[in-house]
Amino acid sequence: MSLAPKADQATPADLGGRHGGGGRRGGRGTDSRRRRRRVLRWSATVLAVVILGTAGAGYLYYQHLNGNLKKDDLNIGDAKDRAAKTEANAAGQTPLNILLIGSDARDSKENQKLGGARETFGAAPLADVQMLLHVSADRTNMSVVSMPRDTLVDIPKCTDPDSGEVHEALDRVMTNRSLGRGGPGCAVATWEKLTDIHIDHFMMIDFSGVVSMADAIGGVPVCVDKNIESRDSKGHGSGLKLEKGTTYVKGKQALQWLRTRYGFEDGSDLARAKAQHMYMNSMVRQLRENATLSNPGKLRSLAESATNALTVDPGLGTVAKLYDLAGELKKVPTSRITMTTMPNEYDTIQTGRVVPTDDATKLFRLVREDIALDGKDKKKTTEEKASTDPAAADGEIAVQVQNGTRTDILGPVSGRATTVAGLLADKGFTQAVADGSAAPATETTLVRYPSADLQGDAERVAKALGIPTSAVKKSTDVSGVTLVVGADWREGTAYKAPKQDDKTPKTADALNASDTKACMKVDPDFTW
C-alpha cells in the first residue's frame, strides 16, 4: 500500500526541501547555505512553528503531527460585528493579522505545577498574553502590538462553539477575561471590536507549551542590567533568578521570564510586555542564525513540541498550512520587525487598570492601513484607481449624508448632516438628503458606495466637495452613495483634507527585532 499523501497534503519532500533543491550545482558551500536557509524559519511567537516544515519523516509522521494540533473556532462573536477584511493592494496582495494568545489555564497537573495558584485549578482560563502580529501585504515588514492584560475593554457577546452557552457582552472589564468566555474566538472578537482590524488567524499556547518549546529550541538569550530575583517578602513573583548580563533561558526559566512583573522596571504589566518583546526578538535571531538547528533530532523534537503546544483556528489546522504560513513569515527581514505595546494610561476609576489612549487609536489605524511601524515604508500613492464608469448627472445622484463627527471626547455636531446635505444641494446634487439616525464616529470624512456601478457617482460627489479619491471606499454597509461627515469636518463649508501623520507614537515603546543590546532594567529592591 502506498503511503504517498493526497494532492492537498504536504509530502516529506515538501516539508524538508521545498525551497532548497536537490542538486549540488553550487558546490558544498552553497548546499550548506541552502540547508541553513531552509531550516531557519520562525513564526514570531514563543512557539517556533517555523521549523515544522523540515521535521517530517514521512506521511505517517506528518499525520501524527496533524493529530497533535488542537483547533478552535476563529471568531465566536456576532458575524455582523466582524471587522471588514482588508482590501488587496494594487498587486493583489493582502496583509496577514494573527492574534497570539498565552493562556494561564490550570487544566492539567503540569500547568498547575508551573502556574501555581492551586485554588484556580480547572477555572476559566485567562489570556494573560495577547499580541497582534501584522505581516504587511508585500511581506517587507512585520508589526506586533501587545495589549497589557490589565487593559479595560468592552467584550462582545460570544457563543461557546462546544456547549452553545451564550456569554452576554461585558463593559469595561479586563481583556484577559475574554478567553474564558467560549475560547480564543472570543479574544479574537474582542480585538476586532476594539481595533476594527480583521483578524485572519490565532495561535494559543499554555504554560507547559512554553516550557517544552523553550527546551526544544535549546535556550533563548535574555539580558538584565542587575542580578534579579523575582520574589518579594510575601512570596509574590515568578521566582526568576538570574545574574547580571546575558543568560540563555529555557524550560521553566523561560516561562518565568515571560511571566515576570516583580523586579522588572516598575513592576507593571507594561514592563512584562517589554520583557516578552525582548524574548521574542531574541528567539527570532536565534532561529535565524543558529545553524545547529539543522540537526534532524532537534528538528523532530521541535516539531513534536510545537504541534503539541498549539491551539489554532481551522485555517492553520494542519502542518502544511503552518508550513505555508512560515514561508510567508520568513520573507520579512529581522531588521523590519517592530514590537510595540498598545499606548495606554491608568484608568481614573479602577485602580491599577489601564485604558487605550488616542495614540492607541492611531497605532491601530497604522496597522489597519498596512503602514509599517518602523517608518521605512516607501512612499505609497493613496489614490485609488478611478472608475471607468461615467457618473450620472449631479441632479440624478442620490446621496445620503450621515453625521459621524463624534469623537472620544466630543459629541456629534448637531445638524451637521443637514448642513452638508445643503452644501451638496447648492452644488446641484438635488437628491442629497440628511440621515437623522446616529452614525458611527468617523475620524476622517468618507464617501462610501456599495457596488462598482456607483463608484463613478461616489467619486463625483467627492470631487464636488474637495474630498480626495482615497476617501472614496466600497462598502457593503451602505445601500447607495453615502457621505459620512467625519470628525475632521466639524465646522465650515469647505472641506480640507487633514495632513496624515503616519509616524508610530512614541508611547508605543517600539523595539526593533535586530536590536541586540536591549536589556531589562531591574528594580533595586529585587536584586541580590
Side-chain angles (χ1 to χ4, degrees):
M1 180 180 67
S2 172
L3 295 181
K6 298 178 182 178
D8 62 343
Q9 294 170 326
T11 65
D14 287 334
L15 295 176
R18 186 177 296 183
H19 301 288
R24 295 175 56 87
R25 290 173 295 178
R28 180 173 300 174
T30 301
D31 281 350
S32 176
R33 287 192 295 273
R34 284 177 179 166
R35 285 194 298 272
R36 178 172 176 172
R37 286 197 300 269
R38 189 166 64 241
V39 298
L40 302 182
R41 320 203 190 283
W42 76 292
S43 69
T45 73
V46 294
L47 314 176
V49 173
V50 291
I51 47 72
L52 292 178
T54 58
Y59 172 57
L60 293 179
Y61 185 64
Y62 166 77
Q63 291 292 73
H64 163 73
L65 293 178
N66 279 341
N68 287 345
L69 287 168
K70 296 175 286 293
K71 293 177 280 292
D72 214 323
D73 287 11
L74 174 61
N75 189 311
I76 58 173
D78 283 344
K80 63 180 178 61
D81 295 331
R82 289 220 61 184
K85 290 186 177 181
T86 308
E87 295 182 5
N89 61 16
Q93 302 165 304
T94 55
L96 275 172
N97 294 307
I98 304 169
L99 185 63
L100 313 177
I101 304 170
S103 167
D104 79 340
R106 273 78 166 179
D107 55 359
S108 68
K109 289 183 178 179
E110 186 175 6
N111 278 331
Q112 181 65 63
K113 181 179 179 181
L114 292 167
R118 294 178 182 176
E119 70 281 1
T120 64
F121 185 83
L126 299 173
D128 272 358
V129 178
Q130 298 180 53
M131 299 182 182
L132 180 64
L133 185 154
H134 171 84
V135 189
S136 67
D138 60 11
R139 306 302 189 252
T140 62
N141 65 87
M142 187 183 301
S143 305
V144 178
V145 180
S146 288
M147 186 191 299
R149 70 166 189 172
D150 296 334
T151 303
L152 297 178
V153 297
D154 295 338
I155 299 179
K157 182 177 75 173
C158 294
T159 303
D160 191 313
D162 297 321
S163 67
E165 180 182 0
V166 175
H167 299 269
E168 296 299 334
L170 297 175
D171 296 334
R172 284 178 49 83
V173 296
M174 282 176 59
T175 182
N176 63 351
R177 289 182 59 183
S178 60
L179 181 60
R181 297 172 60 78
C186 194
V188 170
T190 301
W191 270 80
E192 289 200 359
K193 179 179 177 64
L194 175 68
T195 67
D196 199 28
I197 296 170
H198 183 86
I199 295 176
D200 303 290
H201 301 291
F202 75 80
M203 292 180 171
M204 183 171 71
I205 190 171
D206 58 17
F207 292 150
S208 60
V210 171
V211 170
S212 63
M213 285 304 304
D215 282 341
I217 292 170
V220 173
V222 296
C223 176
V224 289
D225 69 348
K226 301 180 185 70
N227 294 350
I228 181 175
E229 183 169 9
S230 178
R231 189 77 72 191
D232 65 12
S233 58
K234 297 181 180 179
H236 297 144
S238 70
L240 178 71
K241 186 172 184 179
L242 296 176
E243 293 183 354
K244 175 182 178 180
T246 299
T247 304
Y248 279 73
V249 296
K250 60 181 180 178
K252 184 177 179 179
Q253 200 171 44
L255 178 63
Q256 289 174 331
W257 175 276
L258 293 168
R259 299 187 69 205
T260 292
R261 291 177 62 183
Y262 296 99
F264 282 160
E265 298 188 351
D266 62 356
S268 70
D269 200 51
L270 306 180
R272 173 161 58 183
K274 184 183 293 186
Q276 290 167 352
H277 293 166
M278 289 184 184
Y279 180 93
M280 289 175 66
N281 286 342
S282 292
M283 187 188 69
V284 171
R285 296 192 300 270
Q286 185 77 352
L287 287 171
R288 290 189 171 188
E289 298 171 3
N290 189 351
T292 62
L293 290 180
S294 60
N295 181 286
K298 178 168 285 190
L299 289 174
R300 186 183 181 99
S301 175
L302 278 165
E304 288 284 354
S305 298
T307 52
N308 274 310
L310 280 170
T311 300
V312 297
D313 66 277
L316 294 178
T318 67
V319 172
K321 291 176 180 178
L322 289 170
Y323 179 84
D324 289 341
L325 172 62
E328 295 300 298
L329 297 175
K330 75 182 184 68
K331 295 175 183 177
V332 181
T334 305
S335 61
R336 296 298 310 279
I337 300 169
T338 306
M339 304 280 180
T340 64
T341 299
M342 180 198 76
N344 60 86
E345 61 188 7
Y346 282 108
D347 186 59
T348 57
I349 300 175
Q350 296 191 39
T351 303
R353 306 293 180 246
V354 299
V355 292
T357 62
D358 287 343
D359 278 354
T361 301
K362 178 183 178 182
L363 187 68
F364 297 148
R365 177 184 66 79
L366 295 179
V367 173
R368 194 165 53 244
E369 297 180 3
D370 199 23
I371 297 171
L373 299 187
D374 62 4
K376 297 178 181 178
D377 262 346
K378 293 180 180 179
K379 191 172 182 179
K380 302 175 182 177
T381 175
T382 57
E383 294 294 317
E384 295 185 357
K385 186 176 180 181
S387 171
T388 57
D389 184 34
D394 292 353
E396 297 177 2
I397 300 175
V399 186
Q400 188 176 58
V401 184
Q402 297 180 343
N403 185 353
T405 56
R406 178 172 56 84
T407 71
D408 291 340
I409 57 176
L410 298 172
V413 178
S414 178
R416 190 61 181 157
T418 301
T419 299
V420 177
L423 293 176
L424 280 170
D426 290 343
K427 292 178 180 290
F429 293 86
T430 55
Q431 294 193 46
V433 296
D435 180 356
S437 61
T442 306
E443 187 177 349
T444 58
T445 298
L446 300 171
V447 182
R448 292 174 170 157
Y449 63 95
S451 54
D453 61 313
L454 291 178
Q455 182 179 352
D457 292 356
E459 290 173 352
R460 173 63 192 139
V461 171
K463 184 176 181 180
L465 294 173
I467 298 170
T469 306
S470 59
V472 179
K473 304 288 187 182
K474 185 177 181 181
S475 171
T476 57
D477 294 333
V478 297
S479 57
V481 176
T482 304
L483 169 63
V484 186
V485 184
D488 59 343
W489 197 14
R490 289 175 60 87
E491 59 185 9
T493 57
Y495 178 75
K496 293 182 180 180
K499 291 184 178 180
Q500 194 82 294
D501 177 13
D502 291 339
K503 293 183 179 179
T504 300
K506 291 184 179 180
T507 51
D509 201 15
L511 178 66
N512 189 275
S514 61
D515 183 356
T516 59
K517 297 181 180 179
C519 201
M520 285 303 296
K521 294 182 179 180
V522 175
D523 181 340
D525 291 339
F526 288 84
T527 193
W528 54 277

